[in-house]
Every structure is written in C-alpha cells, then in structure tokens.
Amino acid sequence: MRARKARLPDAERMHALIADYAREQRLLPRTLAEIRENIRDFTVIEQRGAVIACGALHFYGPELAEIRSVAVDRARQRLGAGSCLVEALLAEAHSHSVGCVCLFTHIPDYFARLGFVMVEQQSLPEKALKDCVRCPRVSCCNETAMVFGALPLRPPAPQPQLVGLRSLAPPTAGQAG
C-alpha cells in the first residue's frame, strides 16, 4: 500500500469512491469534472496497482488547509488505507508550512485517534464562508469540525471607539486640536 499524488487517469475511480459515500450523504458529491479540475489537490492510496482510497488537501491560505473527500473502498476498510492517506495529506500540509489542518466528519472518533481534536464550526470561518454557504445541509449540518495543529490566530475584532464630546468640539483660542 502506498500513497501518491493523483493523476488524471485516476479521476473516474476516485469519482466512484466518493459517489459511494455521497449516496449516503456521508460526503458531499463531487462531479467527475470537478475532480478532474482539482486533481492536483488529491492523493490516492494504491494497492497492487489499484486505487483503493482518495482524499484531497484544499488550501485556504498559509495558515489553514482542509482534508476533504476522504473515501476508502468499502471492501478494503480497516487495512490502514485511511490512516496512510491522512498521514500523507498531513505531510503535504506540513511541506507547505501550514500549521493547522481542519476537516468536517461524521466519524470524529476515527480522526481523534489520528490526532485531530474537536472544535466549534464557527472557529473555522474560512471554511464556512467559502464552502458551507454552498452546502445543501448548511442549516442542518451534522458533521463535527476537527483540527490537527493550532487554530490560526486571528486579530481581535475591531472595537468601536468611543468619542468624548470634548474631542468633537472645535478647539478654542489657545487650545491645540
């Protein structure tokens, strides 16, 4: 079993793997065209020349990436393909100096064993603003948000400044503004 970057000839097999889980609403559906357009985001696990798992690493910026579309052939589950895939995607994020990798999942216990911790979905606004707004389940999301690494530091929200009445009054003679 080995991890490698996906290639265009892998797209149809990857589409089949993802579609299998999308039918159960465990993954968001991806069209074959979408997979081909984003092939450089994907890594596959190959065993004896066959693609048995796939997943993508999507970058939101220098501090945050997301693991998405993780699918393992059901007949080959519990053989380490998922762990191998996640480790390869985390290594790729590390090679780009990304400090935090997030994911949204229906199986948080599995990802917790791989070192991910649960966080509030609101703590990942990059994900929500880009992807969640397009999701058909945005109002009834049943996935758990998790991260590997430290959440990106965000500057505090700007606070309104209180202006005293004295600062609004025009300067009087002999008073500098």
Side-chain angles (χ1 to χ4, degrees):
M1 193 175 327
R2 73 179 184 99
R4 66 168 172 78
K5 291 302 289 177
R7 298 184 295 256
L8 279 172
D10 302 323
E12 288 187 28
R13 174 65 176 141
M14 293 163 45
H15 181 256
L17 287 169
I18 293 168
D20 185 36
Y21 290 92
R23 279 189 288 279
E24 298 175 347
Q25 296 185 346
R26 298 191 57 80
L27 284 180
L28 290 175
R30 305 279 183 208
T31 66
L32 181 56
E34 184 179 5
I35 291 170
R36 286 177 176 149
E37 289 170 9
N38 295 290
I39 198 73
R40 290 180 297 268
D41 290 352
F42 282 89
T43 294
V44 297
I45 300 299
E46 195 175 51
Q47 186 178 43
R48 295 186 194 105
V51 171
I52 64 166
C54 67
L57 185 67
H58 177 78
F59 294 96
Y60 289 101
E63 297 177 343
L64 181 66
E66 178 191 16
I67 291 177
R68 56 168 63 171
S69 300
V70 172
V72 177
D73 184 313
R74 291 180 192 274
R76 295 193 171 109
Q77 288 182 343
R78 303 197 191 302
L79 300 175
S83 299
C84 183
L85 177 64
V86 171
E87 288 172 12
L89 294 168
L90 288 172
E92 182 180 355
H94 181 74
S95 75
H96 287 278
S97 300
V98 173
C100 183
V101 178
C102 70
L103 55 81
F104 281 50
T105 184
H106 292 282
I107 51 172
D109 292 343
Y110 174 78
F111 288 101
R113 288 192 300 272
L114 299 176
F116 285 80
V117 296
M118 288 187 249
V119 296
E120 293 294 322
Q121 290 181 357
Q122 298 83 353
S123 65
L124 299 164
E126 298 89 341
K127 166 73 174 166
L129 293 172
K130 184 171 187 299
D131 298 316
C132 295
V133 295
R134 297 181 303 139
C135 178
R137 295 187 307 244
V138 66
S139 62
C140 58
C141 182
N142 60 352
E143 292 185 310
T144 301
M146 302 185 82
V147 297
F148 186 95
L151 282 168
L153 295 176
R154 291 177 173 72
Q159 299 295 315
Q161 288 189 326
L162 297 176
V163 178
L165 293 177
R166 183 178 173 115
S167 63
L168 295 176
T172 58
Q175 192 179 28

